[in-house]
Each structure stands twice: as C-alpha cells, then as structure tokens.
Amino acid sequence: MIWLELGIVLLAIFMGARIGGVAIGFAGGLGVLALAAIGVEPGHIPWDVILIIMAVISAIAAMQVAGGMDYLVNHAERLLRRHPTHISLLAPLVTYFMTLLAGTGHTAFSTLPVIAQVAKEQGIRPSRPLSISVIASQIAITASPVSAAMVYFSSLLEPQGVGYLTVIFICFCSTLSAVILTALVTQFLGCELKDDPVYLERLRLGEVAQRQTENNCDQPYARQSLFIFCGAIALIMIYATALSPAVGLIADPVLSRDHAIIAIMLTAALLITWVCKIDADKISSAATFKSGMCACICVMGVAWLGATFVEANLAHIQASASQFLNQYPWMLALALFFAAMLLYSQAATTKALMPAALALGVNPITAIASFAAVSALFVLPTYPTLLAAVEMDDTGTTRIGKAVFNHPFMIPGLLAISLSVAFGFMLGHLIL
C-alpha cells in the first residue's frame, strides 16, 4: 500500500505543479481525499506554520502600504546601480538579506526587475544574477530568525540542547558563504549576452525593451514603517533567546515562541497602520499580502498531504531510513532535498520530515547542516519567484529548456545547497 499511497501523493503534486500557483495547495486537498478513500487517516494540518506566515505577511504588507518596502528596494537599487559591474555578486546579497529580514522569499519580486535591467544595461547576461538571486532568496529562509521553517526547526532542537541563536548563527554563516561562492561561479555560466542567439534574435525583432524604474519611496512614513518592522524582528530574537534553556531568563513563559512571534508581528502591523496613518483596507490588497496568503494555502494543502503520508507510514520510513542515516548522515540532506522538491515549501518540508529524522537519532549537527536542503524549490521551474525572473528577462537568457529541468536555476541551486550543507557540517563540528 505504501507505493500506492506514494503514487497518489506524487500524482497530486504533479497535477498541482502543472497548473501552477496556488493550485498546488488545492491539489494537496485532492490528495488527502484520495488517501482517505483508500483508508488512510488524514494527518495533522501545520497550523502553527500557517499562522506564523500569516502574521509575518500581515506586518510586511502593512509596511509595503506605508512605503517601507519601496524604501528598502530603492536603497537596494541605488547599491546595484552604483556598482553595476558587480551585479552578479551584489544582487544575490540583496535578495538574501531582504529575505533574511522579512522571513519570506517573496520580497525578491520587487528587486528582480531592477536586477534584470541593470544587467542588461551593462551587457551582462541577466540569467547569471537573476538565477543566483532567486536561489539566494530561497536559501535565506533557512537562516531567517522569523521564517516559519526556522522557528519550527529551532524548537525541535531546543530539547537537544542547541539554542536558538546557535542554530541561526550556523545556518547564517553556512548559507551566506555558499551564496557568495555560488555567485562567483555563476558569473561564468552560459555564453556572453552579445553572443546569445536568442537575445540577438529578440534584439533584431525589437522585443528587448529599456524599462525605466520608478521611485515609489516618497511616502512620508516609509522609513518609520521599516524601523517598526525591524524593531519587531529584534524583539522576537531577544524573546526567543530569553526562552532558550541555555540562557534561562524566562523559565516558565506565558507566551510560547510561536505565540510570541504571531503576537509581536500582529502588533507591529497595528503600529505601522496607526503610526504611519495608512488605510487598513489597502493592506489586504498589497502584493505581498496576496502572495503570502497564497503561500499559506500551498503550505496547508501540500504539508497536510505530506503529513498524511508520513504519519501513516512512519514505522516503515523509520525502519528503512534508520540504517542509511546511521551509516550515511548526509543522506538526510538528500531526503530533505527531494521532499522539498515535491512539497514545495521549506516550512512544510521541515514539518514533515525533521521530527521523524530526530526521532531516528540523527544528531543535531547533521540536522542543522542538512537544513539548507529544504530550499530545493527550484528543481521544478514553477515556483513564483523563479517564473517571475523568467518573465522579467526580456533578453531571453533566463529561459526554461524543453526538457523542463534544463533551466539556469539548476546549477546555482545545486551548488548553493551542496556548499551550505558542507559548511554546515564544518561549523557544526567546530561549535557544537
């Protein structure tokens, strides 16, 4: 039965991926119905992950309406235009730190047009900075102090004696180092822009436009909204650290870490709305709010489907995986990689597999080092930021091949995750 159940899971995910967008979440619901029809009891819906995403996205959307996101993007654009020849290195750093700050990779949407335009103006193949920038925005989730995946993962490691800040430090250092090295390699991928036949044909047909960027950060409270949001992140990190058994400042907290993140982020959204005098009705219409709520539907459907399959076959999975993981710890990274490719979410993958891995006796070093592998959302070229990068590059260099998997995000993604895992093991052995 396990193979029939796995076939249902894969078929549902494939159907959702083919349709694209929020449909992958809808397909998760269909998969749960199909599994229930053959007698599989539905698993747990990851409400904690979903609620954290909703709270963080609410604060980000309020900040966007107040102009804080435009303010942030404007400074990022100034940096890129000040050093255009180094865009292949600076662009992924911009998307990495924006995701690190916001806890969602959807912040990359706002910078992708700038990256494509600056690269084109400099005669640099846009697929180079665009591909690694998308990968950086995905992998930064595993180092963000407010991402749902990091919050849940760190809570699993607390009983193992590994503190919240320790996990963040190792993940931050390993993923940032991997992104920088991958960015250097990406500069040599593909032919030069002036030699690309697709670009030359589009240029001949007049299909390559010179887009003009707009400055939308002139709202009076843009800076204040950004400061309020950053202050909320700092408060979350301080509170989460105080809860850590290693610090022991708060032994019996009234608010758990998850509840604190939700409450602080909702409060930040309220303060931004009040202090910055924005129209609250506009928040639900913000682009980040819509994309964030779509992410919630995807996580709910796909994670529920994954949890249903894993919980129903946990004994078989543990028996099969324990021998491999004991002999080859790096196999956890491989398992997380393929799961993320199918589950389509860092948080959903972490929720579905990490508890089972730790229950098998996987040590914290292996778990932390392998954590970056939950960012394998680039394998199937259907993730929103990936598709946006393809659409925004009118030179045609960021294109998806006929074989589907031969796209410019594959090599940077594989390299960044491999380096992150390797650096994670090295740092883990040095620190823990």
Side-chain angles (χ1 to χ4, degrees):
M1 288 296 291
I2 189 173
W3 294 109
L4 175 60
E5 294 166 15
L6 180 60
I8 292 174
V9 171
L10 295 178
L11 182 61
I13 293 174
F14 177 76
M15 182 184 300
R18 285 295 300 269
I19 299 174
V22 74
I24 193 166
F26 302 157
L30 174 63
V32 172
L33 281 177
L35 290 176
I38 60 173
V40 179
E41 185 176 347
H44 293 90
I45 299 176
W47 291 117
D48 50 352
V49 173
I50 294 170
L51 292 174
I52 288 172
I53 294 175
M54 291 176 66
V56 173
I57 287 297
S58 298
I60 292 174
M63 180 176 68
Q64 182 179 27
V65 173
M69 190 64 73
D70 289 330
Y71 179 82
L72 192 62
V73 171
N74 181 261
H75 282 274
E77 179 181 350
R78 289 181 184 178
L79 175 66
L80 294 176
R81 291 190 177 280
R82 193 177 297 122
H83 307 282
T85 57
H86 299 100
I87 190 171
S88 295
L89 177 60
L90 293 177
L93 291 178
V94 167
T95 58
Y96 179 93
F97 281 102
M98 288 182 68
T99 300
L100 192 80
L101 177 69
T104 170
H106 294 296
T107 54
F109 280 118
S110 53
T111 58
L112 292 178
V114 178
I115 295 170
Q117 178 65 23
V118 173
K120 185 168 57 178
E121 290 173 356
Q122 294 298 313
I124 297 172
R125 185 181 179 88
S127 64
R128 293 171 178 171
L130 282 172
S131 61
I132 183 57
S133 295
V134 169
I135 299 302
S137 70
Q138 293 180 1
I139 205 168
I141 290 291
T142 60
S144 172
V146 292
S147 72
M150 170 57 79
V151 171
Y152 180 74
F153 179 55
S154 61
S155 69
L156 294 177
L157 291 177
E158 287 285 358
Q160 306 277 343
V162 183
Y164 172 70
L165 288 183
T166 302
V167 178
I168 290 178
F169 178 77
I170 295 175
C171 292
F172 171 74
C173 293
S174 60
T175 55
L176 180 59
S177 301
V179 166
I180 292 173
L181 289 177
T182 303
L184 295 175
V185 174
T186 304
Q187 297 182 73
F188 302 98
L189 296 179
C191 64
E192 297 301 324
L193 181 61
K194 60 183 177 62
D195 300 322
D196 190 288
V198 174
Y199 166 68
L200 294 176
E201 178 64 17
R202 290 193 176 194
L203 194 63
R204 185 183 68 82
L205 297 173
E207 296 178 351
V208 180
Q210 295 296 322
R211 289 191 292 267
Q212 297 296 323
T213 57
E214 298 179 359
N215 186 351
N216 297 317
C217 67
D218 56 352
Q219 297 189 49
Y221 295 102
R223 185 182 300 179
Q224 288 89 327
S225 67
L226 181 60
F227 287 166
I228 292 173
F229 185 78
C230 290
I233 293 178
L235 184 58
I236 288 171
M237 294 184 67
I238 293 171
Y239 186 78
T241 303
L243 291 182
S244 174
V247 177
L249 291 179
I250 304 177
D252 188 18
V254 176
L255 278 177
S256 67
R257 178 161 38 197
D258 290 0
H259 290 165
I261 291 175
I262 295 169
I264 291 172
M265 279 297 166
L266 290 177
T267 303
L270 175 63
L271 287 175
I272 292 171
T273 305
W274 179 41
V275 174
C276 302
K277 302 177 182 178
I278 63 174
D279 184 353
D281 291 335
K282 293 183 179 180
I283 295 176
S284 60
S285 301
T288 50
F289 187 89
K290 293 178 180 178
S291 62
M293 294 308 112
C294 287
C296 287
I297 297 295
C298 291
V299 169
M300 180 173 63
V302 177
W304 190 19
L305 175 60
T308 299
F309 174 76
V310 170
E311 290 173 17
N313 300 282
L314 187 57
H316 297 288
I317 294 172
Q318 288 178 337
S320 303
S322 58
Q323 182 178 359
F324 288 104
L325 291 179
N326 287 332
Q327 294 182 1
Y328 310 103
W330 54 269
M331 287 288 289
L332 175 60
L334 201 60
L336 293 172
F337 181 92
F338 284 107
M341 182 180 72
L342 298 175
L343 294 179
Y344 226 52
S345 163
Q346 294 97 331
T349 305
T350 306
K351 183 82 175 181
L353 292 190
M354 274 300 187
L358 293 172
L360 290 172
V362 170
N363 65 61
I365 294 176
T366 300
I368 295 173
S370 303
F371 184 43
V374 303
S375 302
L377 312 181
F378 57 86
V379 179
L380 295 173
T382 52
Y383 197 73
T385 49
L386 187 152
L387 292 175
V390 173
E391 292 298 322
M392 291 173 186
D393 179 14
D394 59 2
T395 67
T397 62
T398 313
R399 54 184 180 265
I400 300 171
K402 294 182 179 179
V404 180
F405 293 100
N406 57 331
H407 52 74
F409 307 89
M410 185 65 78
I411 293 177
L414 291 173
L415 183 58
I417 287 181
S418 299
L419 289 173
S420 294
V421 172
F423 291 151
F425 272 109
M426 289 189 291
L427 284 171
H429 284 292
L430 288 174
I431 296 173
L432 298 178

